[in-house]
Amino acid sequence: MRPAFRKLSILLSVALLLILSGCSEQYLVLDPKGPIAAAQKDLILITTLICAVIAIPVFAITAVIVWRYRERPNSKASYKPNWEHSTKLETIWWGIPIIAIAILAVITVNYTYKLEPAVAIQSENEPIEIQVTSLDWKWLFTYPDQGVATVNYFKAPVDTPIRFKLTSDMAMNSFWIPNLGGQLYTMSGMAMTLHLLADEEGQYYGSGANFTGEHFAQMTFTADITSQEEFDAWVSEVKTTERALTETDVEKLKQQGTAEVAQFSSFPDNVFYDIMMQYVEEGEQGAHAGHMPADANDEASEHHNH
Amino acid sequence: MLDTIKEFASEFFVTGDPMILGAQVSIALALVAIVFVLTFFKKWKWLWTEWLTTVDHKKIGIMYIICSILMLFRGGVDALLMRIQLAAPQVEFLHADHYNAIFTTHGVIMILFMAMPLMFGLFNIVVPLQIGARDVAFPFLNSLSFWLFFAGAMLFNVSFVIGGSPDAGWLAYPPLSELSGSPGLGQDFYIWGIQISGIGSLASGINFVVTILKMRAPGMKLMQMPMFSWSVLSSSITIMFAFPILTVTLFLLFLDRYLGAHFFTVDGGGNPMMYLNLIWMWGHPEVYIVILPAFGIFSEVVATFSKKKIFGYKSMVFALMSISFFSFFTWAHHFFTMGSGANVNAFFAVTTMIIAIPTGVKVFNWLFTMYRGKLSFPTPMLWAVAFIPCFVVGGMTGVMLSVAPADFQFHNSYFLIAHFHQVLIGGVVFGYFAGLYYWWPKMFGFKLHEGLGKWAFWFWNIGFYVCFMPQYALGLMGMTRRFNEYNFDMGWQPLNVVSTIGAFLMGIAFLFQVWQIAHSIRFLKMDKSGDNWGQGRTLEWSIPSPAPHYNFARTPQVVGQDDWWETKQRQERGEADPAHVAAAKTAPLEPIHMPKNSGIPIIMSGFWFLAGFGFVWDWKWMIVLGLGGVIVTMLARSFNYNDDYYVTVEEIERTEAAAAKGAN
Amino acid sequence: MAQAHSNAHGHGKHDHGHHDLESLKQFGFWLFMITDVILFSTLFATFIVLRDNTAGGPIGTDLIEMNGIIISTFILLTSSFTSGLALLSMNKGDKKGLILWLAVSALLGLSFIYLEVNEFIHLVHEGAAISTSAFWSAFYTLVGTHGLHVSVGIVWMTAIIIQIAKRGITPVTKRKVNIISLYWHFLDAVWIFVFSIVYLMEVM
């Protein structure tokens, strides 16, 4: 009876399967299309390695012990029923995890500051700002500099830092594009800043990542990363051919329900700010006056492009 | 008149869903059947005097366990329904709102109405026996804790068929859980079901801390106490510090919904982020509350079935207490992505990682208990050994999640779901199963059938890995949790199908366990001797199985750790017991002071149920009746000075003689 | 509540200190008070986080009347003192004194509640209800929870007075008085924090 051994082999086969199939593009988190996601993937691999260094010997020791010390009539294994202490062993198995965790802690703290979403990404290209509003159950994107708006999809130029400003019409959601980097919560009453950058053209999957009710699962969107020329051409085209996003449209978006992909040549002034602050009284600063979360200066510390 | 009734009924009962209608009909039929059976066999008085009013920890423990198994069934069915939907989302087996209600109730039931009562059940069955006591410190309060849990669980469960289930997730984040996002009654059932049950949990925490600190048999020093009792102590202390936070948080959400307060609303200056902080300040210690006793069980089982002393006792105690302590400093890792900033995230990432250290140390201690031992593998030991690789992987992924910047890609994905199911199932469920199998003969006098136990074990284990390993992959593929559907183009379906197969394997495992219980009762092989596994080490194995209602005829004098094992070793070597121990064993019997049964706990809990139901429907008369009844029953308790009696020496002699006969 | 242990001669003779039923209950109550401290701490933390969130509505300084609060505080502190006198009477075996001073404490507590309810009614009339803003939600909940605890204490104290009148001073009634006075002092200590953090800091 070697339950641990059997389980170990099942585990290894499953793990192998995953690792081998991880080369596939479907593993969005392991297929970074930008420096943030790439750094996060590195972190994931480092962490897995450090943990495996401890975990795999544990599996091996378990299998060996369970096999060797099972009670049999002609067992040659030693039996020490009262042996219950060894300073040497205790030192080893307190010491090794402490060292491993210490290493991991240093790496983690370092990357926590480097990958802080509010910190700008260093690049020779000028950043583009996109305001993101999560509503029930669709995404509204407004471009303050270009003046266009889209629903459930956005375009952005490649190799350009994107400064997302995130807010919510009501429920707390989360904005996630796995290929480009980690998510950030969207909350009414405040504008969260998330910096991402795509270094490869393509269409990337995005979704809401914090449950907001009935049709939450249908809040997926596409991040369409194109060349700068294509992006500029698109902006001009939208501005000339599409209709404007009116106040009535905004009211309709606020109503519960899903929405089709759409693009608009303009949007009401300050629509992002208005939605963000709609529940905040005059004189208040936001949902928690005086306790805004850290929103580092764009000029402060910088990311490095990998 | 008829129209009013019809209108009321359509609001009162959940309508429009054939599955729920089926459940409503089944529940009604089951209730009728229960009433019929009890009346036909004239068992009402027996039910009332033997079970509903008992203050005996052994019976209270059994009632907790029965309820938890029923809740495991409901939570498991919830899981299977979800997995069917996710294997073929295009079919739309479940409507979106139904799916959302199911994952909400699945989470609440599994953690609060399955794991917690199973845990308290094992506390009750084992601790007084292990420490040589005759009951817990406050038997009446113990009974009240059970009935408060029962009332809360009933309130929560009834929402499925009356009024509507909650559907904002198991932790009900605002603004979604406020009236604006959840206008229905489900959220109110949620608040009151958990609130009432939570009071019971808090009381149990206090009860077991006092029991362990103050009622150990003479000679049992704290650092000689069995490891399970240490784990209960650390868990109970954690309960004491964590549950008041839950009480307040639920109360504040209630005030928002009932009186229009602005604690967590988006308007009026409310702060939804504060809810996340508060609920997780309870929520994280909560998961350690349930895992610590599982660790204690593993220590008992591994030592017993290695025929060896637990390795590193002091280290193990230190690890338990430090895990309990540190669990209060990690809560923000549940919302790294809420934008608290690098300082906060860095701090909580490090504290979270630190907890992995004492946990890992415990694994090594268990392994080295087995090392140089003589291992046998009855069912409890199988579960203990299976736990090790499973929990180590779960812990590993926990460390991966604790790396805050990486968590921005893991958060709320299936990677997270796989992690917490792995530690909860691989750690808590496996541990409680091990404990249930291990102490079953102590509760009932017979062991559960080994063969069927092995079938259940393998189906659970294989089912678990088949179900959850693909979910790590799905998380890396970008699949978010709480999705009721997804686009086929994402490529998620194959792994979802595999996961669903695994879920059904676990369902089959549960059926094996039910069969195992039925079979074992049918082909009863009683062994009343007391040392049912033959190699028990601790005091509970030194008295008959099931234990007499007063537990110990004479208060034992304890010499040291693993006292029962040491006693047996002395007998084998032909050594005499130390003088004071021998004297205690042969001292003349004295009448035993025992608490009387009481109907107040069940009645008071009934009034709490009424109050909660009244608050949910906002029926003021019912609220007044409910709360008024609570106050009256509390006063009745205060004025009752006749709550104890003495077991006579004759009765003790008779009981002991009968037990000795049954053992031969 | 009776404790399961072997004791041939009733409560007069106790085998072991840790099986003494009454001291077990008192120890349990100390633990309960620890949980109550956590409960109030959570309410205080909530109040502190939300204290500036008045949503453009009325603020505390405008509406809080410190005179009334000072009187309430004095009343509650006095009732804590009189409950101490009750305990002294009990330890001297003075049943009449015990009942008298417990009754005085309960009456003072009742006056405290009366003044507090009046304050709340006044505030609501001035436009500051629990639903007005987060600040007021936190205010009413923190102060109100303390008031609820005091009200429970008054009912409890009355019940104990009746039991003492009927049964006199016994080990059981002694334990009950010890516990209620512990509870009463605890609520007094919480009030000091409420007074400082909620009222003083608000008007300064």
Side-chain angles (χ1 to χ4, degrees):
Chain A
M1 189 73 280
R2 296 183 284 166
F5 202 70
R6 183 88 179 255
K7 235 158 282 50
L8 187 55
S9 39
I10 295 175
L11 204 72
L12 279 174
S13 356
V14 173
L16 236 77
L17 209 79
L18 290 178
I19 294 167
L20 290 176
S21 55
C23 309
S24 144
E25 286 178 335
Q26 290 180 327
Y27 286 80
L28 308 180
V29 173
L30 301 179
D31 185 25
K33 303 290 186 191
I36 307 292
Q40 286 163 334
K41 176 182 170 186
D42 289 343
L43 257 182
I44 293 172
L45 293 177
I46 294 172
T47 320
T48 312
L49 228 64
I50 293 179
C51 290
V53 159
I54 300 197
I56 294 184
V58 169
F59 299 148
I61 294 173
T62 309
V64 166
I65 289 179
V66 160
W67 176 249
R68 184 166 162 73
Y69 292 95
R70 66 200 199 288
E71 185 164 18
R72 294 157 295 171
N74 54 341
S75 168
K76 279 182 261 112
S78 73
Y79 174 51
K80 296 250 183 327
N82 293 318
W83 179 65
E84 49 144 359
H85 179 73
S86 158
T87 317
K88 185 171 104 177
L89 283 174
E90 291 274 4
T91 316
I92 295 175
W93 65 57
W94 276 98
I96 294 184
I98 290 178
I99 293 172
I101 296 294
I103 295 173
L104 197 56
V106 167
I107 297 174
T108 301
V109 172
N110 184 27
Y111 271 94
T112 304
Y113 284 92
K114 275 194 4 209
L115 296 179
E116 167 57 26
V119 172
I121 302 175
Q122 195 191 34
S123 164
E124 49 202 20
N125 290 329
E126 280 299 303
I128 172 182
E129 178 162 313
I130 303 182
Q131 299 162 333
V132 182
T133 308
S134 66
L135 306 109
D136 289 342
W137 289 282
K138 72 279 297 184
W139 294 94
L140 172 64
F141 299 93
T142 45
Y143 292 71
D145 297 322
Q146 288 75 12
V148 296
T150 54
V151 172
N152 283 347
Y153 119 102
F154 73 88
K155 245 199 210 348
V158 73
D159 290 324
T160 308
I162 311 171
R163 184 173 59 241
F164 291 103
K165 292 283 186 185
L166 310 172
T167 195
S168 176
D169 175 48
M170 170 62 85
M172 198 187 282
N173 205 324
S174 186
F175 180 72
W176 189 30
I177 309 169
N179 281 117
L180 297 187
Q183 60 189 281
L184 199 62
Y185 275 13
T186 66
M187 292 173 279
S188 170
M190 58 192 96
M192 305 301 296
T193 307
L194 173 65
H195 285 95
L196 294 174
L197 183 149
D199 53 25
E200 204 177 304
E201 293 178 35
Q203 299 207 320
Y204 305 124
Y205 168 82
S207 75
N210 192 51
F211 180 67
T212 53
E214 193 175 341
H215 292 289
F216 166 68
Q218 290 166 313
M219 275 183 76
T220 54
F221 61 90
T222 309
D224 190 5
I225 308 296
T226 63
S227 64
Q228 184 67 53
E229 300 77 45
E230 264 185 74
F231 175 75
D232 294 331
W234 171 76
V235 172
S236 321
E237 196 203 325
V238 169
K239 280 182 113 125
T240 46
T241 57
E242 299 288 352
R243 69 179 184 83
L245 182 76
T246 62
E247 291 284 357
T248 322
D249 290 320
V250 175
E251 283 312 306
K252 218 168 116 212
L253 285 175
K254 285 184 177 186
Q255 281 167 22
Q256 291 201 327
T258 54
E260 297 293 322
V261 165
Q263 42 196 30
F264 301 92
S265 55
S266 70
F267 52 87
D269 278 337
N270 296 321
V271 67
F272 176 80
Y273 185 81
D274 288 340
I275 294 179
M276 175 174 100
M277 298 299 273
Q278 64 186 299
Y279 299 107
V280 178
E281 299 292 327
E282 296 276 332
E284 298 269 300
Q285 290 170 45
H288 56 162
H291 297 283
M292 289 297 273
D295 197 333
N297 238 331
D298 285 353
E299 282 89 80
S301 49
E302 302 157 302
H303 294 298
H304 292 285
N305 245 334
H306 281 262
Chain B
M1 177 66 183
L2 200 63
D3 279 335
T4 328
I5 296 179
K6 264 167 64 181
E7 210 185 287
F8 171 75
S10 70
E11 297 260 320
F12 189 74
F13 293 102
V14 178
T15 53
D17 191 308
M19 280 196 268
I20 295 185
L21 180 63
Q24 285 163 326
V25 169
S26 320
I27 291 171
L29 286 176
L31 283 172
V32 167
I34 291 173
V35 169
F36 177 76
V37 165
L38 284 171
T39 314
F40 184 78
F41 288 104
K42 297 208 212 315
K43 285 287 198 180
W44 286 102
K45 181 146 188 275
W46 167 85
L47 189 68
W48 180 257
T49 52
E50 290 299 316
W51 291 95
L52 302 186
T53 59
T54 185
V55 295
D56 181 346
H57 67 100
K58 301 182 285 297
K59 288 196 174 148
I60 291 173
I62 291 175
M63 290 195 286
Y64 267 122
I65 292 173
I66 293 175
C67 289
S68 81
I69 294 177
L70 291 171
M71 289 281 88
L72 178 61
F73 173 72
R74 181 176 165 186
V77 168
D78 282 341
L80 293 179
L81 291 173
M82 282 191 278
R83 288 269 24 121
I84 293 174
Q85 167 68 16
L86 287 176
Q90 309 86 345
V91 173
E92 221 197 324
F93 172 68
L94 296 170
H95 294 303
D97 51 355
H98 197 179
Y99 184 88
N100 298 342
I102 288 180
F103 74 66
T104 302
T105 55
H106 168 79
V108 175
I109 285 177
M110 286 305 206
I111 296 195
L112 291 169
F113 298 127
M114 188 282 290
M116 292 292 281
L118 186 48
M119 180 185 85
F120 284 129
L122 289 169
F123 282 15
N124 269 289
I125 301 285
V126 179
V127 172
L129 300 184
Q130 257 196 359
I131 63 174
R134 292 223 167 84
D135 206 312
V136 295
F138 309 120
F140 174 91
L141 192 65
N142 200 19
S143 172
L144 182 59
S145 287
F146 170 75
W147 287 111
L148 284 173
F149 148 75
F150 187 79
M154 280 290 105
L155 208 49
F156 186 85
N157 275 280
V158 104
S159 69
F160 177 59
V161 292
I162 292 178
S165 283
D167 60 0
W170 88 278
L171 279 183
Y173 284 3
L176 184 64
S177 58
E178 295 280 353
L179 280 174
S180 54
S182 297
L185 298 170
Q187 203 47 51
D188 301 300
F189 272 115
Y190 169 99
I191 289 173
W192 284 100
I194 298 178
Q195 185 75 294
I196 292 173
S197 175
I199 301 174
S201 301
L202 184 61
S204 283
I206 296 175
N207 214 341
F208 280 95
V209 170
V210 180
T211 304
I212 292 172
L213 290 183
K214 296 287 186 185
M215 292 177 62
R216 280 163 289 129
M220 187 184 285
K221 302 206 191 73
L222 264 182
M223 289 306 270
Q224 294 170 339
M225 190 167 74
M227 281 307 302
F228 179 67
S229 294
W230 261 116
S231 72
V232 172
L233 181 63
S234 60
S235 177
S236 300
I237 293 175
T238 314
I239 290 174
M240 268 178 56
F241 282 86
F243 267 78
I245 303 174
L246 177 69
T247 308
V248 169
T249 312
L250 289 173
F251 185 60
L252 299 184
L253 186 62
F254 162 73
L255 289 176
D256 272 3
R257 291 177 64 87
Y258 193 70
L259 293 181
H262 288 290
F263 289 101
F264 314 118
T265 53
V266 288
D267 59 341
N271 189 345
M273 294 191 292
M274 195 171 60
Y275 178 92
L276 272 82
N277 276 277
L278 288 175
I279 202 72
W280 280 115
M281 283 171 83
W282 164 80
H284 195 81
E286 163 66 9
V287 306
Y288 284 96
I289 287 169
V290 291
I291 193 68
L292 290 172
F295 289 165
I297 294 172
F298 291 129
S299 292
E300 299 292 344
V301 167
V302 167
T304 301
F305 295 107
S306 304
K307 289 201 176 106
K308 188 160 163 283
K309 254 185 163 164
I310 190 79
F311 195 91
Y313 183 97
K314 285 203 179 66
S315 216
M316 292 291 250
V317 170
F318 177 73
L320 281 174
M321 301 308 279
S322 53
I323 291 171
S324 166
F325 176 76
F326 276 105
S327 72
F328 282 93
F329 295 96
T330 64
W331 79 87
H333 69 230
H334 297 277
F335 44 86
F336 279 140
T337 58
M338 196 161 73
S340 319
N343 291 336
V344 171
N345 282 0
F347 173 80
F348 283 99
V350 173
T351 53
T352 306
M353 279 178 220
I354 285 177
I355 283 205
I357 299 171
T359 315
V361 162
K362 292 186 84 68
V363 172
F364 287 114
N365 277 288
W366 287 314
L367 288 174
F368 277 82
T369 304
M370 293 193 271
Y371 178 74
R372 291 182 180 163
K374 272 203 207 158
L375 310 181
S376 55
F377 296 96
T379 314
M381 187 63 162
L382 284 179
W383 286 104
V385 174
F387 146 85
I388 292 179
C390 196
F391 191 76
V392 167
V393 172
M396 205 180 111
T397 54
V399 171
M400 290 171 73
L401 287 159
S402 75
V403 178
D407 184 60
F408 281 74
Q409 289 278 49
F410 291 135
H411 181 65
N412 274 350
S413 74
Y414 263 80
F415 192 92
L416 172 67
I417 295 199
H419 158 73
F420 68 68
H421 279 95
Q422 181 138 28
V423 285
L424 283 172
I425 297 180
V428 178
V429 173
F430 282 19
Y432 290 1
F433 280 172
L436 209 56
Y437 284 110
Y438 182 56
W439 282 301
W440 186 276
K442 181 53 57 184
M443 287 191 262
F444 298 112
F446 64 91
K447 283 190 204 159
L448 286 171
H449 187 265
E450 270 296 311
L452 288 171
K454 286 197 167 62
W455 278 96
F457 169 79
W458 283 109
F459 268 95
W460 263 107
N461 268 273
I462 295 176
F464 169 81
Y465 286 103
V466 173
C467 182
F468 289 103
M469 292 300 112
Q471 292 189 10
Y472 284 115
L474 284 169
L476 294 174
M477 290 168 96
M479 184 169 175
T480 300
R481 70 187 292 201
R482 296 173 170 170
F483 270 9
N484 65 300
E485 59 172 36
Y486 52 85
N487 201 317
F488 181 74
D489 296 336
M490 299 307 299
W492 297 341
Q493 187 155 28
L495 286 179
N496 267 292
V497 171
V498 172
S499 183
T500 300
I501 293 173
F504 273 89
L505 290 178
M506 288 191 279
I508 294 173
F510 180 76
L511 291 176
F512 269 110
Q513 287 174 310
V514 173
W515 180 9
Q516 184 188 24
I517 294 175
H519 183 276
S520 309
I521 295 176
R522 169 86 176 77
F523 297 103
L524 226 45
K525 284 199 196 83
M526 295 297 278
D527 170 15
K528 295 194 172 167
S529 67
D531 197 356
N532 297 87
W533 297 100
Q535 44 201 68
R537 306 181 70 85
T538 42
L539 275 184
E540 73 267 31
W541 304 109
S542 69
I543 52 177
S545 302
H549 67 281
Y550 46 76
N551 298 349
F552 296 88
R554 298 175 178 83
T555 307
Q557 286 281 346
V558 168
V559 177
Q561 195 184 328
D562 287 347
D563 192 69
W564 175 236
W565 176 263
E566 296 303 324
T567 305
K568 288 189 290 183
Q569 293 291 303
R570 282 197 299 271
Q571 278 171 7
E572 262 178 50
R573 293 195 296 264
E575 255 174 59
D577 290 326
H580 67 290
V581 173
K585 283 191 186 159
T586 52
L589 288 172
E590 289 183 344
I592 299 179
H593 196 190
M594 293 290 283
K596 273 195 184 152
N597 283 359
S598 172
I600 293 181
I602 187 173
I603 295 173
M604 192 193 293
S605 302
F607 280 117
W608 272 114
F609 179 91
L610 227 52
F613 202 80
F615 273 117
V616 168
W617 288 90
D618 199 15
W619 293 338
K620 305 272 196 293
W621 63 271
M622 194 181 271
I623 297 173
V624 169
L625 184 62
L627 292 180
V630 168
I631 295 173
V632 167
T633 42
M634 278 191 192
L635 288 170
R637 169 72 186 152
S638 177
F639 279 89
N640 178 18
Y641 279 66
N642 180 15
D643 59 0
D644 57 350
Y645 71 100
Y646 284 87
V647 182
T648 58
V649 171
E650 292 77 40
E651 194 188 329
I652 303 171
E653 283 170 348
R654 254 182 292 127
T655 315
E656 293 296 303
K661 219 167 71 163
N664 296 338
Chain C
M1 181 55 255
Q3 171 47 44
H5 69 299
S6 76
N7 187 331
H9 306 289
H11 292 290
K13 177 175 172 202
H14 301 284
D15 321 338
H16 312 278
H18 64 279
H19 279 186
D20 175 359
L21 187 57
E22 310 309 331
S23 70
L24 218 56
K25 296 201 173 191
Q26 275 182 220
F27 181 67
F29 193 76
W30 276 102
L31 295 187
F32 165 74
M33 282 199 297
I34 294 177
T35 69
D36 228 6
V37 167
I38 307 281
L39 189 120
F40 276 106
S41 303
T42 313
L43 288 171
F44 275 108
T46 304
F47 177 81
I48 291 169
V49 168
L50 294 177
R51 78 178 316 151
D52 293 327
N53 293 20
T54 44
I59 60 178
T61 13
D62 292 342
L63 299 179
I64 286 173
E65 284 175 10
M66 278 310 281
N67 288 336
I69 300 304
I70 292 175
I71 296 173
S72 299
T73 305
F74 181 69
I75 289 176
L76 200 67
L77 287 172
T78 308
S79 80
S80 203
F81 175 70
T82 53
S83 76
L85 292 178
L87 214 61
L88 286 173
S89 298
M90 181 179 86
N91 291 335
K92 278 197 301 225
D94 176 6
K95 174 173 154 182
K96 277 208 171 66
L98 168 60
I99 293 180
L100 171 71
W101 288 116
L102 276 182
V104 168
S105 307
L107 281 167
L108 288 171
L110 208 56
S111 318
F112 175 87
I113 295 297
Y114 174 79
L115 289 173
E116 188 161 277
V117 170
N118 258 359
E119 180 206 4
F120 284 4
I121 293 176
H122 160 74
L123 287 169
V124 171
H125 280 158
E126 292 295 316
I130 197 174
S131 54
T132 305
S133 68
F135 165 78
W136 289 108
S137 303
F139 169 85
Y140 278 107
T141 307
L142 173 55
V143 180
T145 300
H146 174 268
L148 208 65
H149 274 76
V150 172
S151 307
V152 166
I154 294 170
V155 172
W156 187 2
M157 210 177 264
T158 311
I160 292 177
I161 290 172
I162 298 174
Q163 290 168 35
I164 293 168
K166 187 161 155 208
R167 297 165 189 271
I169 300 174
T170 71
V172 176
T173 54
K174 255 189 158 182
R175 177 256 303 168
K176 293 195 184 207
V177 174
N178 278 331
I179 289 183
I180 185 70
S181 63
L182 212 54
Y183 180 72
W184 205 245
H185 291 309
F186 167 72
L187 288 179
D188 208 31
V190 172
W191 179 255
I192 305 293
F193 280 91
V194 172
F195 178 75
S196 314
I197 295 179
V198 176
Y199 290 101
L200 271 188
M201 282 177 69
E202 200 57 29
V203 298
M204 289 201 330

